[in-house]
Amino acid sequence: MKRLHLERLANPQLLAPAGVLLINWLLFPNFFRITRQDGRLFGSLIDVLNRGAPVAILAIGMTGVIATKGVDLSVGAIMAVCGAVAATMVVAGYPTPVAVIAALAVGIACGLWNGFLVALLDIQPIVATPVLMVAGRGIAQLITEGSIVTFNDPTLIFIGTGSFLGFPMAAVIAPALLILVTLLVRKTAIGLFIRAIGVNRAAASLAGIRSRMLLVLVYALSGFCAAIAGIVVAADIRGADANNSGLWLELDAIPAVVIGGTSLLGGRFSVPMAVVGAIIIRAMNTGILMSGFPPEFNLIVKAGMIILILLIQSPFATRLFTRQRLVPAKAGPK
Amino acid sequence: MNIIKTLAVVAGLATALTSFATAQEGSVVGFSQIGSESGWRAAETSVTKQQAEERGIELKFADAQQKQENQIKAIRGFIARDVDAIPVAPVVATGWEDVLTEAKEAEIPVILLDRGVDAPEDLYLTSVASDQVKEGRVAGEWLVEAVGTEPCKVVELQGTVGSTPAINRKQGFEEAIAGHDNITIARSQTGDFTRAKGKEVMEGFIKAENGGADICAVYAHNDDMAVGAIRAIKDAGLKPGTDIKVVSIDAVPDIFAAMVAGEANATVELTPNMAGPAFDALAAYLKDGTEPEKFIITESKLYTPEDNPQGEYDTRKGLGY
Amino acid sequence: MLLEFKSYGRKKSVHPFDLTIHKGEVIGVAGLLGSGRTEMARLMFGADPADQGSVTVAGKPTAIRNTTDAISRGFGFCPEDRKAEGIFGDLSVRENIIIALQGKLGWFRALNRDEQLEIAGKFGEAMDIRAASLDMPVKLLSGGNQQKVILSRWLATDPAFLILDEPTRGIDVGAHAEIVRTINRLRDDGMAMVVISSELDEVVAYSSRIVVMRDREMVAELRGKNINPGVIVQAIANSADEAQP
């Protein structure tokens, strides 16, 4: 019983976040200190949750895509488009709910476009999604007419910087979405079908799974999540920045999903672990920012850390772990 | 060499003679703009159009959409139309020699705006640009004066790592505070010139520096990052502009809005008016062949809340920032 | 009469053919590799939709545009290339067995784990699947056991009509016998089947009729007591003009 418990603790997927948090704590002893500030929680850990939320939201959508052996490189650009839609609409005087719903609808439409290319035209995702990755920023620029559209709508701002029970809104929206999507894949057959498509799309079609429809759904969900992230990010800075909103964020979301244990070869995925992956990446970024290294090292340190985490989680390392554990277990009964 | 000189003199004489009749009023100028990748660029375009209109210059405008080949095409088009001058905001530094030589052979003066090129200096009339090191220096000098002898821990939000403005603005600021041991740069990180990253990095700085209590001022390499940092300071329950001084560069409308609210202390202008000095130089040259200085440096003007920020906001807002 | 295909075909794939299948009947399909046997199977199952002809199921005219249509009408299909089109290697034995039934039930009527285990256990036992656990990845099973898993997958959907493409190829003797036994048992229980096989002795043993494919065309339908491997080989070998009366 005890050994089983230890084994679970040694799970590399949970070791990684623990390790990153430990390093942060060593670099910066106040890392775990949380205080209350104007009725909201305040501290580095809260920042990690708050800043990690957009990547976590993207990772939730990206998980389904990667589980079907795809990839969605357009999420950053979709964020920019949807942020721009929400911002320009509230500035133009539309009610906030209308603007938000319109932005979400645009996100879904972007996802449907990706799904159309991948599922119906059978274009490889790595070729299909960059279409929107490039075009999306242009579209966002057209919407904002090249400038940062700033707004003062209190409801929209609340989405970015408000708080609920002391937690920043972004850190509330992400778990809510996580629960929703997890229920969707666990309580319906969609999760099984996504895995089946990822493992063997030909067999899935012969087994009567509507794989095209499901693929379209998966990309639409990714677009929907990107829209939420885009609204959150725009609300956070009270402005839609077509050039920079979500820029390269897909390159955080993809490793987050992979660190979370979702297989790029299909068959295995976990939405909650992808969110954990996003938190790890965010904690890493925060650690780097607070470490006082010159900024020239930021990307190098980050790349090194991701390689290290993936190495720890690789089958090779797992074998190494298990072999070492087996020795005392065998020696036990003697 | 001599031939070129002779040619130049002849060309100068010829233009001097013709311009005697036309002067600047009614002249035609072809402006090749990079595109509209930032608010500042859009403002530069509208200011250039304004300046031309004020002087009665007819401005032909060509947007290159970030492509050098489009700019070269536009310049060739202007040469074919035989315009009186070609102001260019070059998208890259290299690859201009051929087309600039064509312009020179057609005796049309070229004026570089905002950025320089790697080409012989005699291929263009003059280059109008800001001095980024000086921008940093003006920001630093303001801080030196503002804090006096009080000790002051500064956090710096750098531009994109390795970019020229980031390097130069950092250097200028450091030059200005050198010798004032009470001012130290405690932390320096990149905010990629964006609001979101500016806010994010500032949040980290505040946590790392005793909840922000130890920070006396933030120096941001552009106003956008400063606007982000102001949000982070407010979220931490501190007063930007009072508890933490905010100084930045660019003078975009939103920083004036922050000044109106008392949340920003100073900004150094990167003027979008590159065309004004350019047209002045052109007028003198067309009138009597006065060769302008090869490098015209625009003013790096300091703006503080005393400089009617509401008025500045209103005038700038219309420029397309 | 359960099924009737009339002038059923698909351009550049299978020439139009007529075929009626009754309950409790096994139609053997013989022919050389590339003669259009697999194409015919895929056509009947809707994996490649027909572009001519008609089909009636239990007397009712119907359209089979895709596999979902076919499955909802009680069809099942074990493909020839087990690894590429049949097995979900990284999914568990349990999931491999219930997946077609789940597909039939749709997205929102999910079988819970207990129901899945019950179904997988029931068919696993009936087919004598040798697996250490129903939760182990199916790719760790032998080829014969994998084939039994796919057969179980379709039996779980309670089908009226099964299409088996080379069900006994490349599997061990024990599994081979088990599958032949299952075919016989299902036929006796009244299921209609189309079995494509290159093993003529075996086909002759369990089939009620045999159709012969050549050059993507159904060239002969052999019935009655006079079917034997020799006749089939002759039908396969006869050139097209000799087959004309």
Side-chain angles (χ1 to χ4, degrees), chain A residues 188-189 195 200 203 205 208 214, chain C residues 67 71 83-85 87 95 107:
Chain A
T188 69
R195 286 167 55 223
N200 191 339
S205 294
L214 204 63
Chain C
T67 56
I71 293 167
K83 204 168 170 215
E85 299 185 325
I87 279 297
E95 288 164 329
W107 291 3

Side-chain angles (χ1 to χ4, degrees), chain A residues 41-271:
Chain A
L41 298 171
F42 183 81
S44 294
L45 210 54
I46 301 295
D47 278 358
V48 169
L49 295 180
N50 191 17
R51 293 279 149 239
V55 176
I57 292 169
L58 290 184
I60 290 170
M62 187 73 78
T63 305
V65 172
I66 290 182
T68 58
K69 264 195 216 159
V71 70
D72 187 351
L73 295 176
S74 68
V75 288
I78 296 177
M79 280 176 70
V81 174
C82 297
V85 168
T88 43
M89 282 184 74
V90 291
V91 167
Y94 287 93
T96 321
V98 174
V100 169
I101 289 169
L104 294 177
V106 168
I108 292 173
C110 290
L112 288 175
W113 163 256
N114 283 331
F116 169 74
L117 294 182
V118 172
L120 300 175
L121 300 189
D122 280 323
I123 301 175
Q124 287 287 328
I126 205 159
V127 181
T129 56
V131 172
L132 204 53
M133 179 187 182
V134 176
R137 295 236 167 250
I139 295 167
Q141 296 251 17
L142 285 177
I143 297 170
T144 60
E145 291 169 351
S147 62
I148 298 180
V149 178
T150 47
F151 50 84
N152 284 307
D153 180 81
T155 324
L156 194 52
I157 289 170
F158 183 79
I159 296 175
T161 53
S163 64
F164 180 76
L165 298 176
F167 283 94
M169 270 316 276
V172 175
I173 293 173
L177 187 68
L178 167 65
I179 293 168
L180 218 69
V181 173
T182 307
L183 285 179
L184 182 73
V185 296
R186 294 252 171 100
K187 290 292 163 194
T188 69
I190 292 173
L192 174 65
F193 291 165
I194 286 175
R195 286 167 55 223
I197 290 176
V199 172
N200 191 339
R201 190 171 157 194
S205 294
L206 285 182
I209 296 170
R210 296 167 190 264
S211 56
R212 285 174 200 275
M213 211 158 111
L214 204 63
L215 276 177
V216 171
L217 175 91
V218 158
Y219 282 91
L221 178 68
S222 180
F224 175 72
C225 290
I228 297 177
I231 295 169
V232 167
V233 165
D236 181 44
I237 60 165
R238 305 185 179 196
D241 185 344
N243 280 315
N244 299 304
S245 167
L247 191 63
W248 308 129
L249 227 51
E250 54 274 349
L251 298 186
D252 272 356
I254 294 167
V257 172
V258 175
I259 287 174
T262 294
S263 167
L264 291 170
L265 301 173
R268 189 158 47 93
F269 76 89
S270 165
V271 180

Side-chain angles (χ1 to χ4, degrees), chain A residues 28 33 37-38 40 42-44 47 50-51 141 146-148 150 161 236-238 241 243-244 282 288-296 298, chain B residues 36-39 158 161 187-190 193-196 199-201 203-208 210-211 224 231 235-237 254 317 320-321:
Chain A
F28 180 63
R33 198 179 72 183
Q37 175 87 51
D38 305 332
R40 59 166 66 200
F42 183 81
S44 294
D47 278 358
N50 191 17
R51 293 279 149 239
Q141 296 251 17
S147 62
I148 298 180
T150 47
T161 53
D236 181 44
I237 60 165
R238 305 185 179 196
D241 185 344
N243 280 315
N244 299 304
R282 188 60 241 174
I288 292 167
L289 286 183
M290 305 214 314
S291 65
F293 282 135
E296 287 79 1
N298 290 4
Chain B
S36 55
E37 78 279 4
S38 66
Q158 297 186 25
V161 174
R187 286 179 182 267
S188 181
Q189 251 298 344
T190 176
F193 284 129
T194 70
R195 270 179 209 211
K199 183 177 180 194
E200 182 185 321
V201 173
E203 279 174 357
F205 284 168
I206 290 171
K207 305 298 178 319
N210 193 18
D224 272 332
R231 298 245 49 88
D235 285 351
D254 284 347
K317 198 65 193 169
Y321 272 109

Side-chain angles (χ1 to χ4, degrees), chain C:
Chain C
M1 186 177 61
L2 178 68
L3 284 166
E4 184 171 18
F5 294 96
K6 264 198 173 156
S7 315
Y8 212 60
R10 178 178 162 88
K11 286 197 184 77
K12 290 180 183 167
S13 174
V14 185
H15 288 284
F17 62 88
D18 294 325
L19 187 64
T20 57
I21 307 167
H22 298 90
K23 280 186 75 174
E25 200 177 29
V26 175
I27 313 288
V29 181
L32 297 174
L33 203 69
S35 60
R37 300 174 304 168
T38 296
E39 287 78 0
M40 186 176 103
R42 291 179 61 89
L43 188 69
M44 288 194 284
F45 191 60
D48 302 320
D51 53 17
Q52 48 201 301
S54 62
V55 54
T56 60
V57 179
K60 264 185 273 175
T62 182
I64 294 173
R65 292 171 303 258
N66 50 46
T67 56
T68 321
D69 283 351
I71 293 167
S72 69
R73 286 166 184 76
F75 290 22
F77 176 44
C78 297
E80 178 182 13
D81 191 337
R82 197 163 51 229
K83 204 168 170 215
E85 299 185 325
I87 279 297
F88 300 95
D90 285 312
L91 299 194
S92 68
V93 176
R94 162 175 58 87
E95 288 164 329
N96 267 279
I97 292 177
I98 60 99
I99 192 145
L101 174 60
Q102 184 62 70
K104 209 175 171 181
L105 291 174
W107 291 3
F108 297 105
R109 270 166 55 207
L111 298 163
N112 65 35
R113 210 186 133 79
D114 288 345
E115 290 168 326
Q116 294 185 4
L117 277 174
E118 192 195 322
I119 293 163
K122 181 175 141 198
F123 287 94
E125 204 170 314
M127 292 295 303
D128 192 24
I129 294 171
R130 312 276 171 86
S133 150
L134 288 174
D135 281 321
M136 68 190 281
V138 78
K139 66 181 174 191
L140 301 179
L141 297 188
S142 70
N145 278 305
Q146 291 185 2
Q147 188 68 295
K148 290 191 226 165
V149 166
I150 300 178
L151 208 51
S152 304
R153 174 190 299 167
W154 291 111
L155 295 181
T157 65
D158 190 20
F161 173 51
L162 268 186
I163 305 162
L164 310 179
D165 194 352
E166 295 286 2
T168 56
R169 172 178 292 175
I171 62 179
D172 59 281
V173 185
H176 192 141
E178 179 66 38
I179 283 169
V180 171
R181 250 201 313 279
T182 307
I183 292 172
N184 282 315
R185 173 166 61 81
L186 293 173
R187 184 197 56 210
D188 295 346
D189 290 349
M191 193 179 298
M193 276 177 277
V194 163
V195 181
I196 298 168
S197 180
S198 308
E199 306 196 30
L200 296 181
D201 291 326
E202 183 184 305
V203 181
V204 168
Y206 52 62
S207 298
S208 336
R209 278 179 286 153
I210 290 188
V211 297
V212 177
M213 298 292 292
R214 190 172 59 215
D215 295 334
R216 304 177 175 274
E217 193 169 358
M218 191 185 283
V219 291
E221 183 175 330
L222 311 172
R223 57 176 75 218
K225 293 208 172 64
N226 57 350
I227 321 177
N228 61 55
V231 176
I232 299 172
V233 170
Q234 206 177 1
I236 291 174
N238 273 351
S239 68
D241 45 40
E242 278 173 295
Q244 302 287 333

Side-chain angles (χ1 to χ4, degrees), chain B:
Chain B
M1 205 55 214
N2 269 330
I3 300 172
I4 293 175
K5 262 188 188 160
T6 325
L7 275 176
V9 170
V10 172
L13 276 174
T15 40
L17 283 172
T18 49
S19 64
F20 182 73
T22 58
Q24 203 184 1
E25 181 100 7
S27 59
V28 181
V29 159
F31 176 31
S32 170
Q33 175 64 292
I34 295 177
S36 55
E37 78 279 4
S38 66
W40 184 85
R41 184 69 60 193
E44 184 190 40
T45 301
S46 35
V47 170
T48 304
K49 285 176 178 166
Q50 265 180 14
Q51 290 286 338
E53 207 179 300
E54 275 172 24
R55 286 156 216 258
I57 298 172
E58 188 190 334
L59 189 81
K60 307 256 181 224
F61 178 73
D63 182 334
Q65 299 182 335
Q66 316 294 328
K67 290 208 180 91
Q68 185 177 30
E69 70 242 42
N70 289 348
Q71 284 203 295
I72 290 175
K73 244 184 264 167
I75 294 171
R76 292 216 165 107
F78 292 144
I79 294 172
R81 284 197 205 167
D82 197 23
V83 295
D84 296 306
I86 305 175
V88 183
V91 61
V92 291
T94 52
W96 295 102
E97 263 179 67
D98 286 351
V99 73
L100 290 188
T101 308
E102 285 167 37
K104 191 178 174 69
E105 280 165 1
E107 294 169 8
I108 300 172
V110 171
I111 303 169
L112 304 179
L113 298 184
D114 165 47
R115 300 183 185 184
V117 297
D118 292 338
E121 286 181 10
D122 63 319
L123 289 182
Y124 51 88
L125 181 66
T126 179
S127 160
V128 183
S130 74
D131 180 347
Q132 292 163 340
V133 179
K134 187 174 155 206
E135 287 160 3
R137 207 182 300 130
V138 171
E141 282 162 359
W142 172 83
L143 187 71
V144 167
E145 194 161 318
V147 296
T149 52
E150 297 280 309
C152 183
K153 254 184 167 179
V154 181
V155 293
E156 180 182 30
L157 297 171
Q158 297 186 25
T160 307
V161 174
S163 67
T164 324
I167 294 168
N168 290 339
R169 287 173 176 181
K170 185 173 173 58
Q171 186 198 332
F173 187 82
E174 283 168 355
E175 281 173 17
I177 61 167
H180 300 270
D181 295 338
N182 58 325
I183 301 175
T184 51
I185 296 178
R187 286 179 182 267
S188 181
Q189 251 298 344
T190 176
D192 281 337
F193 284 129
T194 70
R195 270 179 209 211
K197 283 280 276 178
K199 183 177 180 194
E200 182 185 321
V201 173
M202 192 64 196
E203 279 174 357
F205 284 168
I206 290 171
K207 305 298 178 319
E209 297 292 338
N210 193 18
D214 294 350
I215 302 174
C216 138
V218 52
Y219 165 50
H221 287 187
N222 77 348
D223 289 339
D224 272 332
M225 290 190 292
V227 169
I230 288 170
R231 298 245 49 88
I233 296 168
K234 284 171 88 171
D235 285 351
L238 297 170
K239 276 192 160 159
T242 319
D243 296 332
I244 297 178
K245 294 182 179 59
V246 180
V247 52
S248 53
I249 298 173
D250 274 359
V252 303
D254 284 347
I255 202 74
F256 288 108
M259 274 188 199
V260 172
E263 296 171 349
N265 303 82
T267 184
V268 180
E269 183 180 45
L270 165 60
T271 178
N273 183 10
M274 302 277 169
F279 288 151
D280 289 344
L282 182 67
Y285 176 74
L286 291 181
K287 193 162 163 246
D288 46 23
T290 316
E291 282 282 342
E293 279 180 59
K294 211 72 215 181
F295 296 98
I296 300 173
I297 305 296
T298 56
E299 191 188 2
S300 296
K301 189 165 183 260
L302 180 77
Y303 284 88
T304 63
E306 278 95 69
D307 298 306
N308 182 19
Q310 186 63 53
E312 289 295 333
Y313 176 82
D314 293 340
T315 41
R316 277 156 206 269
K317 198 65 193 169
L319 295 179
Y321 272 109

